[in-house]
Amino acid sequence: MQWQGGRPFSGQAFAVGSLTKIRSAQKPEPTLAVSATSNGHQTRRTFAIISHPDAGKTTLTEKLLLNSGAIHLAGQVAERGERRRTRSDWMEIEQKRGISITSSVMTFEHDGLTLNLLDTPGHADFSEDTYRTLTAVDSAIMVIDAAKGIEAQTLKLFEVCRLRDIPIITFVNKIDREARDTLEILDEIMETLALDTAPMMWPVGAGVDFSGLIDLEQGRFVNPDGTPEADAPGVTAIASRFATTQNQTIAAAMEGLELARESLPKFDLEAYREGHLTPVYFGSALKSIGVRELLEAVCRFAPSPRIQPARPEPVDPAGAKCTGFVFKVQANMDPNHRDRVAFVRLAAGTMSRGMKLKNVRSGKEIKVNNPMFFFARERELADSAVAGDVVGIPNHGTLSVGDTLTEGADITVTGIPNFAPELLRRVHLSDTSKTKQLAKALSDLAEEGVIQVFKPSIGAGYYVGAVGPLQLEVLTSRAQAEYGVPIRIEPAQYVTARWVKVGDEKAFEKFAALHRLNIAQDRYGDPVFLAPSQWEIDRCAKDFPELTFMATKDRGIAA
């Protein structure tokens, strides 16, 4: 099976080993007139799904794939056994807990477009992986629970999107359960996110009173089972069906619709792509209600690849020279082969199998022999790929997160962050004969972004940094399962770390002499201050103004 012009044949997914074609017998008929005359970057839509945990993000991912015809049966995270094996949650610990803990990539086709869907962890403990993944997308779907509204992690991820001006489509999920008033949800989005809302669907009731959706754009009615009616009589005619209802919930929904049509702005494509307005869809991912309409919205409204920030100048997707950047590294996706794959987002040009690209960080050339497209951990060899595509490059430690690959002049894509850890712990290894295996495990998992690793300048051992305790659980689980290294995580005398930007070598030498036990190096060899308190950080910053103590470091650029 080959990929033509950098994109797969429509409606197919691929399985590891057998590379079996999977076709859906229920692939929906195309409903959009999208031109597919070009195989270039204009046909790409690269987007992420962001949400608070349990809002239904992974279930929505599965149903988008199902509606595109890419899979036969969506895995359901609420089920048991084989039905619980969702495509995007492929790691053992994910399947046991029913949560996403690592970003996954799924490339598929719909209506002549190639869609690169990046499913991100919702759990706050894995927010760094999500932040880095958001550097690789051009738009996002924000999933909100209809009963809970905007939650803490959703807000945090939205702010990251805002920093990068990523346009957002909102999907209010679980409308078939008890839900807040529709206008209340829209008001919360506007007030909390400072974002105009343009409802594209309107729920007729909610929970046990849910009676369907009104498609405000097409003027048609979507039945409670998610199937749209053939006719499109218009919003006014559909609303008149419920004019005499005695159901108070439905009556309130119709009153809200009238107010919304009078007061809320109409959808404006330019305002959406500039990040000022979000089109809002309602539905139920679990029951596939409103999912097809959401998928069509991504195809029609989401932008093609955008300009990537970089030094010394931004990267234009229309550029002829192939340029891409590593936003994620994953080890042991196939435990039988102990593989290691760098996920590269192409920012410009065309990547061809066998071409040579320069790693700007190391200054060395690498030959791209086996680039791959992904469907979670399933993969297929890619003969070529264009700007907007996400490809995997197998390697043996030559590529790290933040690396820029190019066939042109030296350039470094920026904005891929490392954050100061909120937890610092010491790694205890009881079996000293496995010291080398431990170093390998920590290096690989740090490269993936699972944890951060700091090597103290004085003494042996390692410190690990994390956002939350679940990261440390993943560290111990994967170290044992994938590397055969049983480790114990112990308390440390430090609470956080700061990268030290050295503006004056003599000042740093003096600082290091005074704080010998607090100096460490990260995996790139950059100096790090292990701090026992925030007060100590503030005091050192005051005593050594020549040094900068950084809470954030741009990966790929030295401190």
Side-chain angles (χ1 to χ4, degrees), residues 351-365:
M351 176 184 287
S352 300
R353 184 183 174 194
M355 77 183 306
K356 292 183 179 180
L357 295 173
K358 181 181 180 181
N359 182 346
V360 176
R361 174 183 58 85
S362 66
K364 297 179 180 179
E365 276 194 344

Side-chain angles (χ1 to χ4, degrees), residues 90-108:
W90 54 269
M91 296 175 67
E92 181 181 3
I93 191 171
E94 291 178 307
Q95 294 172 355
K96 285 181 178 179
R97 284 179 167 266
I99 60 171
S100 298
I101 64 171
T102 184
S103 298
S104 57
V105 181
M106 282 142 289
T107 296
F108 59 102

Side-chain angles (χ1 to χ4, degrees), residues 163-393:
L163 287 172
R164 299 183 63 84
D165 294 323
I166 295 173
I168 290 174
I169 297 174
T170 299
F171 183 73
V172 181
N173 193 23
K174 305 181 184 179
I175 200 66
D176 57 324
R177 304 181 187 180
E178 292 305 314
R180 293 163 60 180
D181 178 75
T182 302
L183 279 179
E184 184 182 332
I185 293 173
L186 296 173
D187 284 342
E188 183 181 31
I189 294 172
M190 289 186 287
E191 293 176 6
T192 305
L193 306 182
L195 197 62
D196 288 337
T197 59
M200 310 296 279
M201 311 284 288
W202 195 267
V204 180
V208 295
D209 298 312
F210 177 67
S211 301
L213 297 166
I214 300 176
D215 187 331
L216 302 182
E217 184 185 17
Q218 303 295 331
R220 64 181 179 180
F221 187 68
V222 178
N223 293 306
D225 64 357
T227 59
E229 293 183 348
D231 297 331
V235 176
T236 302
I238 296 172
S240 67
R241 302 180 191 178
F242 304 96
T244 59
T245 181
Q246 299 301 307
N247 185 302
Q248 295 301 311
T249 302
I250 295 177
M254 292 301 99
E255 291 176 10
L257 173 59
E258 186 175 347
L259 287 172
R261 295 183 74 189
E262 292 175 357
S263 60
L264 294 179
K266 301 292 184 182
F267 175 73
D268 181 273
L269 183 62
E270 184 177 354
Y272 155 70
R273 290 188 174 175
E274 290 178 350
H276 305 312
L277 175 145
T278 178
V280 183
Y281 290 80
F282 293 81
S284 168
L286 189 63
K287 296 184 179 178
S288 288
I289 301 170
V291 175
R292 178 184 291 192
E293 290 76 11
L294 179 66
L295 178 61
E296 292 175 357
V298 171
C299 291
R300 288 187 293 162
F301 305 144
S304 57
R306 305 189 303 162
I307 292 175
Q308 287 288 340
R311 298 179 184 176
E313 59 184 12
V315 181
D316 190 325
K321 298 293 185 180
C322 178
T323 303
F325 61 95
V326 180
F327 68 92
K328 175 181 175 62
V329 172
Q330 184 74 52
N332 305 321
M333 292 181 72
D334 183 354
N336 294 326
H337 295 91
R338 313 295 292 178
D339 62 347
R340 186 178 179 284
V341 177
F343 288 78
V344 177
R345 158 65 195 259
L346 293 187
T350 300
M351 176 184 287
S352 300
R353 184 183 174 194
M355 77 183 306
K356 292 183 179 180
L357 295 173
K358 181 181 180 181
N359 182 346
V360 176
R361 174 183 58 85
S362 66
K364 297 179 180 179
E365 276 194 344
I366 67 166
K367 189 174 182 180
V368 185
N369 290 318
N370 299 298
M372 298 175 292
F373 287 109
F374 283 93
F375 196 76
R377 69 171 173 181
E378 300 174 4
R379 60 191 75 180
E380 172 63 27
L381 202 61
D383 282 340
S384 63
V386 299
D389 282 333
V390 175
V391 298
I393 299 179

Side-chain angles (χ1 to χ4, degrees), residues 146-166:
K148 299 177 182 177
I150 297 172
E151 299 175 85
Q153 185 66 5
T154 309
L155 180 59
K156 197 171 183 180
L157 295 173
F158 171 79
E159 292 299 337
V160 176
C161 291
R162 169 161 281 167
L163 287 172
R164 299 183 63 84
D165 294 323
I166 295 173

